[in-house]
Amino acid sequence: EMQLLESGGGLVQPGGSLRLSCAASGFTFSNYAMTWVRQAPGKGLEWVSAISGSGSSTFYADSLKGRFTISRDNSRNTLSLQINSLKADDTAIYYCAKVVVVGGRLDVWGQGTTVTVSS
Amino acid sequence: QSALTQPPSVSGSPGQSVTISCTGTSSDVGSYNRVSWYQQPPGTAPKLMIYEVSNRPSGVPDRFSGSKSGNTASLTISGLQAEDEADYYCSSYTGSYTVLFGGGTRLTVL
């Protein structure tokens, strides 16, 4: 069974940093691009970032460029998202998802990890 | 880039059909057939229901169908059931790996 399990969320002060992780199992991780999607409390889904299967190409939402860094370790089947200079607006559930077709099918989602930015 | 436009809410009685629209532009929905639909019951992660406009993943009931015309995609749920009550989101490819989601539609089964 294909599974994704996020971790690393928590309460952080404005201006702080956080590294989210997503552990994949049940599929050949390196064969698939991966993506992060977030959802602020009571709001809709927002695409954050994506990375190719090899990790050589990375993509970010225009509004988030500069503070977010996506990476992956194919030897450990792990996806990561580094978030710096956190703002209150970054408060959200962060989901990782497996990309079957670039820009399209996200067929496996994790349960999400919650990031709360507050003093 | 603004979110794709969805109606905030739709409703229907059990057994009826409902259609949720998703309007974009010629740069996203109108240019690519990579339109997907996700179902999200409260407190859960999104689940893929439709991909590439009209394809259903294994396990998704054939009551769910998708279509597209021009810059607008649609999700139709026929034979509504109580378990269909959830938020529904469309998404579209916009180029260079990037994806745009709709604002979401709350489906209420009366």
Side-chain angles (χ1 to χ4, degrees):
Chain A
E1 181 189 4
M2 295 183 287
Q3 286 190 325
L4 297 171
L5 184 63
E6 302 94 337
S7 61
L11 174 63
V12 61
Q13 292 189 338
S17 298
L18 211 55
R19 187 176 184 85
L20 308 182
S21 295
C22 170
S25 61
F27 62 97
T28 304
F29 184 65
S30 60
N31 284 356
Y32 295 94
M34 297 291 294
T35 195
W36 287 96
V37 175
R38 72 180 184 179
Q39 186 170 34
K43 302 296 184 182
L45 302 175
E46 179 184 18
W47 182 81
V48 172
S49 180
I51 187 168
S52 61
S54 66
S56 61
S57 299
T58 58
F59 306 88
Y60 301 92
D62 286 343
S63 59
L64 304 177
K65 283 179 181 175
R67 298 190 299 115
F68 288 67
T69 303
I70 191 172
S71 61
R72 65 191 297 159
D73 183 341
N74 286 344
S75 67
R76 297 174 182 265
N77 290 350
T78 300
L79 173 72
S80 297
L81 184 70
Q82 176 74 33
I83 313 174
N84 298 326
S85 303
L86 277 155
K87 309 174 183 179
D89 286 350
D90 296 321
T91 295
I93 298 173
Y94 286 74
Y95 296 101
C96 64
K98 170 176 165 280
V99 181
V100 178
V101 173
V102 167
R105 212 183 321 173
L106 306 181
D107 68 334
V108 181
W109 293 65
Q111 87 293 342
T113 188
T114 300
V115 173
T116 303
V117 183
S118 174
S119 54
Chain B
Q1 208 164 11
S2 300
L4 304 174
T5 301
Q6 297 182 232
S9 64
V10 297
S11 63
S13 300
Q16 290 186 331
S17 294
V18 296
T19 297
I20 301 172
S21 61
C22 170
T23 301
T25 69
S26 58
S27 297
D28 38 68
V29 176
S31 286
Y32 304 98
N33 284 328
R34 299 182 195 179
V35 175
S36 300
W37 289 91
Y38 300 90
Q39 177 193 64
Q40 187 180 35
T44 69
K47 174 188 174 184
L48 178 68
M49 303 301 285
I50 296 287
Y51 65 92
E52 285 146 42
V53 177
S54 60
N55 296 281
R56 280 187 311 276
S58 174
V60 172
D62 60 6
R63 303 185 293 103
F64 291 83
S65 62
S67 62
K68 190 185 87 166
S69 178
N71 297 338
T72 298
S74 299
L75 172 71
T76 298
I77 309 170
S78 59
L80 265 179
Q81 298 181 3
E83 67 203 48
D84 300 332
E85 190 160 286
D87 292 329
Y88 290 83
Y89 294 91
C90 62
S91 74
S92 175
Y93 186 45
T94 66
S96 298
Y97 270 75
T98 59
V99 173
L100 192 59
F101 283 97
T105 298
R106 174 71 53 89
L107 169 63
T108 300
V109 180
L110 302 171

